[in-house]
Amino acid sequence: MSQKLIGRVSALALAAALSASLGACATAPAAVDDSMAQIQNVPKPVNRIADSHSYARPADARVVHVDLDLKADFDAHVLSGKATLDVTGRRGVDEVILDVRNLDIRSVTDAQGRALAWSVGADQAFMGQPLTVKLPTFAGHETQKVVIDYATRPDASALQWLNPQQTAGKQKPFLFSQGQAILTRTWIPTQDSPGIRQTYTARIEAPADLTVVMAAEMLTPGGEATTPGHKAWRFRMANPIPPYLIAIGVGDLAFAPLDERTGVWAEPSSLEASRHELEPTAQMVDAAEALYGPYLWGRYDLLMLPPSFPFGGMENPMLTFATPTIIAGDRSLVSLVAHELAHSWSGNLVTNANWDDFWLNEGFTSYFENRIMEAVYGRDAAVQEQVLAWGGLQDELKSLPPEDTRLHLDLTGRDPDEGMNTIAYDKGAAFVRTMERIAGREVFDAWLRGYFERNAWVPMTSELFLKDVREHLVKGDAALEAALMLDEWVYQPGLPSNAVAPVSNAFSVVDQAANAFYVDRGPASAIAWSDWNTQQRQRFLSWRPTGGTGAWLTEAQLSDLNQTLNLDAEGNSEVRFAWLQVALAHRYEPSVASAEAFLTSMGRRKFVLPLFQTLWNQGDWGQAHARRIYAKARPLYHPVTTGSVDAVVGQN
């Protein structure tokens, strides 16, 4: 998952073989041959790592496969049908415990339709309920099937049902899911823990004028006719994945290939702009493979979602979900693609066993993203991204309580979303970059490639990660161990003494211009804005007086800056956001209309939450605007976004 912004190299043999068999076409990716279901004959290890955010007891009984047969009702805003779970259990165990949240369970049976006893336990805030199903006692290693007939509710937190006016085309409705961290249980009854990997298959029925896509192999391009006015679509994910990565999208969608194994889905009205913006994707896949080994998921496609999608991107395997806020027209924000692609190794292949170690997903991914950017766009571009991230990290370190600035967290009793902040991303990436600097890039790269290979498909914790580092990178070298400061990085707050701030020469001219404008009160017309890239513009707008508080610009400066650079009409979402943070912090009334237009045109939490926080911090002036704008915008947002902003604006 991304909260940030972005010569082909040879693909390795396995990935080349996969892409050759998959192909692509102008209307949809090719169906996958049945033999592809066996491309990853991977183990399904028993997970004995505790997860305080799941009721499951996987050491006793665990779900290894989910088969969905669901129908999408756009009038009722409900998915209904059956989930058939393959469950394995320890000898003597006679029940399996699943995670559910506000699901309407109609019946639970075995594969032959015989009723199984079941009960739903007490509800716990953000956790939902345990669904306990009684089974015939396991004799050993057999698999039992549990068939659950159920329906979601219209307010299921993982699902957002959009009316036509909330889409790009304005003609047809749209549905998408967002399962991270523990929202999959609001639409699928399963063991909703990242350490309990599951394969899945699905049959989804939807109105015939819509297209269904999932984070899986599409087996029926074009769909299959069912009842009048409906079609069914079939999917298969042969690799075991954490359940938060099971994802669905239903809407008026078209497909455009980027190369033989990459492409983009989008609403027809935005397909060409999306295809143009995302064209570097194919090159990024090749660059990633050259760094850390074969891409093991077959296709890599992207789904450009409506503006209400709460994240920059979501790394759903084979089908990254992306926000339209990355469409800048100049491909300046496609580092998001590099980030979600990198998750195919760090996160999807090697996954945090529980949400206390979210940094293992995002820290490694943010580092890997930067290496892809370096390979495709050069060292200077990559370092600029590092510097911007470092600045954001310093702000986050100041704003959080010390215990929340550690990489390994204790989120027991807390919503895991509270751990999804800049610390996991940017402190994590700074740690990995420190390891590379001290060990040397060649040695470090060999270790990291091996780390992905050794730990593929296996739940990972900070403890296991440190064990791997000591066995395969440190190798008994006491001096290297001391220099890396491993435990300090993982378990202590703040930044260890071996952290080094990145420096970009490209920002020198920007810093000079910032000083000339902000401090010396020079004219905005002297700023070399048209010569700067997006990252340089962000750097300029993120300038703050050292140690200062409150306003640092005059009304005249704000007006000069806005009118000269046309910032209220800026089309680049990252630059627009940076400007609005400045304008609202100064209670600059002329930019309130721009802020309202921005906040009601998309629901990306990275932008929405800080802007409402900035407004709220401005006392009566800002709070009045915040309440008014949020009343208008809230119905457009995903529950992931409203869940955060409600706490700021005071909604119940």
Side-chain angles (χ1 to χ4, degrees):
M1 174 179 59
S2 174
Q3 302 189 67
K4 302 185 287 184
L5 308 175
I6 136 143
R8 313 260 302 183
V9 295
S10 296
L12 298 179
L14 174 59
L18 293 178
S19 64
S21 65
L22 285 168
C25 65
T27 56
V32 181
D33 185 86
D34 284 344
S35 63
M36 291 299 291
Q38 304 303 319
I39 61 172
Q40 297 301 326
N41 185 22
V42 298
K44 300 177 178 66
V46 173
N47 175 30
R48 293 184 171 87
I49 300 168
D51 182 358
S52 64
H53 295 105
S54 172
Y55 296 104
R57 295 201 301 260
D60 291 338
R62 68 186 299 269
V63 176
V64 297
H65 180 78
V66 177
D67 179 66
L68 300 172
D69 189 351
L70 301 175
K71 184 173 183 178
D73 186 334
F74 277 84
D75 293 326
H77 290 181
V78 164
L79 287 173
S80 63
K82 295 180 178 180
T84 300
L85 311 181
D86 288 1
V87 180
T88 62
R90 180 171 54 82
R91 181 185 298 272
V93 171
D94 65 353
E95 66 180 21
V96 62
I97 301 178
L98 311 173
D99 298 300
V100 298
R101 182 176 163 194
N102 299 330
L103 292 181
D104 292 324
I105 309 297
R106 298 184 287 226
S107 68
V108 182
T109 68
D110 64 13
Q112 287 70 46
R114 296 183 293 251
L116 296 173
W118 59 278
S119 62
V120 175
D123 181 53
Q124 182 177 335
F126 67 78
M127 282 272 293
Q129 307 95 358
L131 169 59
T132 302
V133 180
K134 291 295 183 180
L135 301 170
T137 302
F138 282 96
H141 301 290
E142 76 272 27
T143 298
Q144 299 191 40
K145 289 188 181 292
V146 176
V147 183
I148 303 172
D149 191 307
Y150 73 101
T152 65
R153 296 181 183 176
D155 61 352
S157 296
L159 304 176
Q160 186 166 23
W161 301 83
L162 305 177
N163 64 47
Q165 286 303 309
Q166 293 173 287
T167 68
K170 310 296 184 186
Q171 300 298 314
K172 298 178 182 179
F174 204 105
L175 164 67
F176 69 86
S177 69
Q178 171 52 46
Q180 196 178 48
I182 57 171
L183 300 181
T184 295
R185 64 192 68 182
T186 70
W187 76 286
I188 302 173
T190 188
Q191 292 176 322
D192 190 13
S193 170
I196 308 176
R197 305 183 76 101
Q198 303 153 33
T199 56
Y200 79 90
T201 48
R203 176 188 177 275
I204 308 295
E205 187 174 338
D209 61 343
L210 303 179
T211 296
V212 181
V213 294
M214 292 192 77
E217 301 162 3
M218 179 183 285
L219 303 178
T220 52
E224 304 169 328
T226 56
T227 57
H230 286 80
K231 284 184 178 181
W233 305 73
R234 297 179 186 271
F235 304 89
R236 175 177 56 210
M237 171 50 67
N239 293 335
I241 62 172
Y244 70 85
L245 293 177
I246 304 174
I248 188 172
V250 185
D252 182 15
L253 295 171
F255 179 80
L258 299 172
D259 75 347
E260 69 280 356
R261 60 172 170 168
T262 64
V264 57
W265 290 94
E267 293 183 67
S269 62
S270 59
L271 181 61
E272 178 52 31
S274 299
R275 185 208 61 77
H276 174 269
E277 202 77 11
L278 299 175
E279 192 169 309
T281 299
Q283 190 176 3
M284 289 179 176
V285 176
D286 289 346
E289 287 187 314
L291 284 166
Y292 298 125
Y295 175 79
L296 296 177
W297 302 89
R299 294 195 60 82
Y300 182 75
D301 294 322
L302 299 104
L303 171 64
M304 191 62 69
L305 285 166
S308 62
F309 185 57
F311 299 128
M314 185 62 210
E315 64 271 18
N316 302 313
M318 303 183 70
L319 187 66
T320 280
F321 284 17
T323 170
T325 62
I326 67 169
I327 300 178
D330 59 1
R331 301 174 181 165
S332 61
L333 304 182
V334 293
S335 63
L336 178 137
V337 177
H339 185 95
E340 306 310 334
L341 169 63
H343 269 302
S344 302
W345 287 261
S346 52
N348 298 4
L349 191 63
V350 182
T351 311
N352 49 231
N354 54 53
W355 298 109
D356 292 349
D357 283 322
F358 180 59
W359 81 271
L360 289 168
N361 279 19
E362 295 298 349
F364 274 95
T365 295
S366 296
Y367 169 84
F368 192 174
E369 164 201 341
N370 198 249
R371 291 293 301 276
I372 295 171
M373 293 295 289
E374 179 180 333
V376 176
Y377 295 104
R379 176 71 176 165
D380 286 348
V383 174
Q384 287 180 53
E385 296 278 9
Q386 291 177 27
V387 173
L388 291 175
W390 181 267
L393 175 59
Q394 305 313 303
D395 293 339
E396 192 85 325
L397 288 169
K398 296 173 185 175
S399 68
L400 292 174
E403 61 270 19
D404 283 351
T405 67
R406 300 172 300 176
L407 291 178
H408 172 75
L409 299 172
D410 181 1
L411 294 172
T412 303
R414 300 170 63 186
D415 191 320
D417 275 2
E418 294 183 31
M420 295 182 178
N421 54 40
T422 298
I423 300 300
Y425 290 78
D426 296 330
K427 180 181 176 180
F431 175 31
V432 181
R433 198 160 55 242
T434 299
M435 293 172 62
E436 178 214 311
R437 173 175 53 82
I438 293 173
R441 176 168 284 193
E442 183 177 352
V443 170
F444 175 82
D445 279 353
W447 169 78
L448 185 51
R449 185 171 182 137
Y451 170 81
F452 291 141
E453 293 172 353
R454 285 186 297 274
N455 300 294
W457 322 108
V458 178
M460 180 57 59
T461 65
S462 288
E463 181 181 3
L464 292 173
F465 156 75
L466 291 172
K467 182 175 183 290
D468 191 282
V469 172
R470 290 183 167 114
E471 287 184 4
H472 299 283
L473 181 62
V474 175
K475 299 178 181 178
D477 185 334
L480 179 58
E481 168 93 15
L484 290 173
M485 303 180 69
L486 299 171
D487 290 332
E488 288 88 342
W489 273 100
V490 174
Y491 296 118
Q492 296 302 315
L495 291 175
S497 59
N498 65 353
V500 176
V503 177
S504 170
N505 293 331
F507 286 156
S508 297
V509 63
V510 178
D511 293 342
Q512 292 172 6
N515 191 71
F517 178 79
Y518 293 116
V519 178
D520 297 337
R521 311 295 188 185
S525 58
I527 301 170
W529 190 258
S530 62
D531 298 331
W532 292 347
N533 62 25
T534 292
Q535 290 69 36
Q536 289 172 307
R537 293 176 180 183
Q538 287 179 275
R539 170 80 169 196
F540 178 84
L541 291 171
S542 66
W543 185 91
R544 301 291 185 270
T546 302
T549 59
W552 61 95
L553 294 174
T554 66
E555 183 85 7
Q557 282 183 295
L558 288 163
S559 179
D560 184 20
L561 199 62
N562 185 28
Q563 294 179 17
T564 302
L565 305 181
N566 199 26
L567 292 173
D568 275 340
E570 173 61 50
N572 183 302
S573 61
E574 293 285 348
V575 176
R576 175 92 164 267
F577 167 72
W579 158 245
L580 290 175
Q581 283 286 72
V582 174
L584 298 180
H586 285 80
R587 306 183 186 185
Y588 183 59
E589 190 70 35
S591 288
V592 171
S594 177
E596 180 173 348
F598 190 58
L599 288 166
T600 56
S601 66
M602 58 81 217
R604 188 176 176 183
R605 186 171 63 175
K606 174 195 173 180
F607 298 146
V608 170
L609 179 58
L611 287 174
F612 276 111
Q613 288 172 326
T614 298
L615 274 173
W616 200 257
N617 290 340
Q618 303 314 307
D620 292 344
W621 177 87
Q623 291 174 18
H625 285 307
R627 290 191 186 95
R628 177 181 57 79
I629 295 172
Y630 194 45
K632 181 178 179 181
R634 191 179 189 278
L636 310 176
Y637 293 161
H638 187 276
V640 165
T641 299
T642 58
S644 298
V645 182
D646 282 356
V648 174
V649 182
Q651 298 288 318
N652 294 321

